[in-house]
């Protein structure tokens, strides 16, 4: 079986962290610190970064982590690696892991700017408007550049439906 990287992209407030947390909920896990923080679940799935109340996933990692992650993925034995968040959501990272032979699936949690901003407000996220707009533009550009590798999920659905859609993408009908 081929090794898969499933990377979730979307606007801040699109449900990336919430859905990933929901899918992995209940699984035993260990957070490893080396060569960067990552979470190893009981089923062998690896998540880049770790969970925390807000801004989990790759947003927990340092800004200069990308070379370490690329190097680690070159020898990683995991069959499924999940990434979500802004830190590694870029074409250089996606190209590097594809060159290593990983099957790349990008999941785009698509929501309107209005929905994203409302959710950010509801959870008390305080970001400069320019930063938010920059993340939105980056997501749009990435989704356009990688459209052949993208599965779009309607991020305006309820949390359970979004998590179910992600679970289906990750594990298919069997889980």
């Amino acid at each position: 079986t081929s090794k898969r990287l499933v990377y979730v992209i979307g606007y801040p407030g699109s449900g990336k962290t919430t859905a990933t947390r929901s899918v992995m909920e209940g699984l035993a896990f260990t957070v490893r610190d080396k060569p960067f923080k990552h979470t190893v679940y009981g089923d062998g799935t690896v998540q880049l970064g770790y969970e925390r109340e807000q801004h989990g996933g790759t947003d927990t990692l340092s800004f200069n982590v990308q070379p370490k992650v690329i190097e680690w993925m070159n020898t990683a034995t995991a069959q499924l690696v999940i990434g979500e968040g802004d830190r590694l959501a870029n074409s250089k990272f996606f190209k590097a892991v594809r060159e290593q032979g990983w099957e790349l699936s990008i999941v785009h949690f698509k929501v309107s700017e209005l929905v994203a901003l409302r959710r950010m407000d509801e959870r008390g996220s305080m970001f400069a408007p320019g930063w938010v707009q920059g993340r939105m533009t980056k997501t749009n550009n990435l989704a356009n550049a990688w459209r052949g590798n993208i599965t779009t999920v309607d991020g305006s659905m309820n949390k359970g439906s979004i998590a179910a859609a992600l679970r289906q993408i990750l594990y298919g009908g069997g889980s």
Side-chain angles (χ1 to χ4, degrees):
T1 57
S2 63
K3 299 193 297 186
R4 285 178 62 217
L5 169 63
V6 177
Y7 204 100
V8 182
I9 65 170
Y11 293 168
S14 63
K16 300 177 302 292
T17 300
T18 302
T20 304
R21 182 180 295 136
S22 178
V23 169
M24 306 315 287
E25 193 172 55
L27 289 177
F29 67 91
T30 306
V31 176
R32 300 214 174 123
D33 288 327
K34 302 286 185 217
F36 57 90
K37 277 204 172 186
H38 60 284
T39 306
V40 181
Y41 290 93
D43 67 354
T45 300
V46 172
Q47 182 178 359
L48 303 174
Y50 61 98
E51 286 310 317
R52 60 182 182 195
E53 192 57 37
Q54 287 191 6
H55 320 302
T58 65
D59 293 344
T60 62
L61 302 174
S62 65
F63 283 102
N64 63 351
V65 76
Q66 185 162 309
K68 286 181 187 172
V69 176
I70 291 170
E71 185 179 326
W72 174 83
M73 290 192 71
N74 202 31
T75 58
T77 57
Q79 293 300 300
L80 177 61
V81 174
I82 302 168
E84 65 88 3
D86 187 59
R87 191 75 69 240
L88 299 170
N90 62 74
S91 289
K92 183 177 180 184
F93 179 69
F94 294 159
K95 286 175 184 166
V97 295
R98 284 220 353 227
E99 287 169 7
Q100 293 174 354
W102 288 82
E103 178 189 322
L104 174 64
S105 300
I106 303 169
V107 182
H108 181 195
F109 282 13
K110 197 166 186 172
V111 297
S112 69
E113 289 187 22
L114 196 62
V115 167
L117 292 170
R118 187 190 77 231
R119 287 182 181 167
M120 290 173 62
D121 185 55
E122 286 170 357
R123 71 181 187 206
S125 295
M126 304 295 286
F127 293 112
W131 180 88
V132 173
Q133 193 58 55
R135 301 287 61 78
M136 290 177 169
T137 300
K138 176 184 176 181
T139 297
N140 293 339
N141 291 343
L142 207 53
N144 188 47
W146 288 87
R147 61 185 167 269
N149 291 83
I150 293 225
T151 301
T152 302
V153 170
D154 178 358
S156 65
M157 297 185 296
N158 66 53
K159 291 177 184 178
S161 298
I162 296 169
L166 181 58
R167 187 176 291 107
Q168 180 67 32
I169 291 163
L170 289 169
Y171 301 111
S175 285

